[in-house]
Amino acid sequence: QLQLVESGGGLVQPGGSLRLSCAPSGFTLDYYAISWFRQAPGKEREGVSCVDSSDGSTEYADSVKGRFTIYRDNAKNTVYLQMDSLKPEDSAIYYCAAALSYYCIGYVHFEYEHWGQGTQVTVSS
């Protein structure tokens, strides 16, 4: 079964950092744009960041711009989300998703072919 596997979530204090990883099972990410979404309790799932498969161009939601960095390591077939200066409002389940596209396509859920199971990020003192 083709799927994505996230890792790297956990509990961190405000101002701290975490790095999330997204790796595929059963396929290569070479032709996929990869996005990170998050969903907090009682809220809709929202798009956080995207990296394309063309030249590694990136996009960020305004709420994380300047604090989060998305990048891909093609040799490891993995996409990372480096999260710095974390705030309590960043607490959520984080999901990675793959869209068969050279370019980022926005954050419409049904346009993504593959999803991970999610990893919990909690920012609290």
Side-chain angles (χ1 to χ4, degrees):
Q1 184 177 357
L2 305 181
Q3 62 181 359
L4 297 169
V5 180
E6 302 100 334
S7 61
L11 173 64
V12 64
Q13 292 186 343
S17 297
L18 284 173
R19 189 180 74 164
L20 306 183
S21 301
C22 172
S25 175
F27 66 105
T28 176
L29 295 181
D30 287 357
Y31 305 107
Y32 288 85
I34 305 299
S35 288
W36 286 94
F37 292 77
R38 66 186 182 186
Q39 188 167 20
K43 295 188 177 181
E44 293 188 355
R45 191 173 298 189
E46 63 172 346
V48 173
S49 184
C50 176
V51 60
D52 73 13
S53 61
S54 174
D55 61 1
S57 294
T58 58
E59 297 179 358
Y60 298 93
D62 288 343
S63 59
V64 306
K65 202 170 292 183
R67 300 187 298 119
F68 289 12
T69 303
I70 188 172
Y71 61 100
R72 58 198 307 152
D73 184 333
N74 291 330
K76 294 184 178 180
N77 200 26
T78 300
V79 170
Y80 300 95
L81 183 69
Q82 177 67 42
M83 305 187 296
D84 299 316
S85 302
L86 283 162
K87 304 175 182 180
E89 52 262 44
D90 294 318
S91 297
I93 299 175
Y94 282 71
Y95 302 87
C96 65
L100 190 60
S101 171
Y102 284 120
Y103 306 108
C104 290
I105 61 169
Y107 303 112
V108 179
H109 305 164
F110 62 78
E111 293 185 344
Y112 287 81
E113 283 83 6
H114 307 293
W115 288 81
Q117 80 291 348
T119 185
Q120 178 71 49
V121 171
T122 303
V123 185
S124 175
S125 55

